[in-house]
Amino acid sequence: ICVTDTQAPIEGLIIHHGYVQEGTVNVGDSVHALVDEEHRSDVTRNHTATHLLHAALREVIGPHIRQAGSLVAHDRLRFDFTHIEPISWANIRDIEALVNAQIRSDQSVSKTEMSYQEAITDGALAFFGDRYGSQVRVVQVGGDGGPDLETQWFSKEVCGGTHSDRSGEIGLILI
């Protein structure tokens, strides 16, 4: 069976969508799942890059930037957001440079489980409130969350996806 997508429509339930590559599968059959490591690594890098892109957009364009959706694939990412006007090429270059600086600095990427309220109180962004359960995972890129800029994180969001362990694993982004 080749799994093409997973969904979590309600807390505690994960649904796998896919197709039978060879042979047949019947109700009640046991199956053994394996992860395509190369594909997952590609998706992981692009997913972490979306967090860096979001943070850079908010820093360069303004804190009003809100994620409105995204596509994270093995070969690309798309980040949908709201803004009141087109972004200039100079800003696009600044955003790309800022993200790539975070990548080159090889920041740590931490994942921490906590309550939704604790995540919000701790400064995590969460734009899809109706999708979160009472316990969430917070993905933080860089720093330890301390008060001075040298220890402050670059990105901190509620997210259940797959992420790199370090920003340097991404390699490079091109907008």
Side-chain angles (χ1 to χ4, degrees):
I1 296 178
C2 179
V3 175
T4 56
D5 192 21
T6 58
Q7 299 287 322
I10 59 173
E11 190 172 356
L13 176 66
I14 299 173
I15 297 174
H16 294 79
H17 299 271
Y19 60 92
V20 178
Q21 282 184 293
E22 66 180 63
T24 59
V25 177
N26 298 303
V27 174
D29 286 353
S30 293
V31 296
H32 180 73
L34 296 174
V35 173
D36 179 337
E37 292 296 335
E38 182 177 349
H39 183 269
R40 183 167 181 113
S41 292
D42 292 340
V43 170
T44 295
R45 286 189 295 275
N46 284 335
H47 195 155
T48 305
T50 7
H51 289 274
L52 296 179
L53 180 58
H54 190 191
L57 281 160
R58 290 173 59 85
E59 187 168 318
V60 173
I61 304 300
H64 66 281
I65 297 292
R66 291 180 52 101
Q67 180 178 357
S70 66
L71 166 75
V72 179
H74 70 285
D75 59 344
R76 69 191 182 287
L77 67 90
R78 186 193 73 231
F79 188 81
D80 305 327
F81 61 96
T82 56
H83 187 48
I84 58 174
E85 62 187 8
I87 297 176
S88 71
W89 285 110
N91 280 343
I92 290 171
R93 285 191 304 273
D94 291 345
I95 292 162
E96 184 178 270
L98 181 55
V99 172
N100 283 315
Q102 290 297 315
I103 292 169
R104 281 191 310 278
S105 66
D106 197 28
Q107 298 289 319
S108 65
V109 180
S110 65
K111 303 102 179 170
T112 309
E113 299 280 332
M114 62 182 70
S115 73
Y116 177 78
Q117 189 55 53
E118 183 182 4
I120 300 306
T121 301
D122 203 31
L125 297 178
F127 293 125
F128 305 105
D130 59 335
R131 293 189 189 173
Y132 305 123
S134 57
Q135 285 293 113
V136 296
R137 185 167 49 155
V138 174
V139 177
Q140 176 177 306
V141 181
D144 63 8
D148 56 321
L149 292 178
E150 290 78 32
T151 60
Q152 188 70 333
W153 36 266
F154 182 72
S155 170
K156 190 174 200 173
E157 296 188 49
V158 173
C159 186
T162 180
H163 296 88
S164 304
D165 291 322
R166 306 209 48 94
S167 64
E169 295 171 21
I170 296 167
L172 174 77
I173 72 150
L174 297 172
I175 300 175

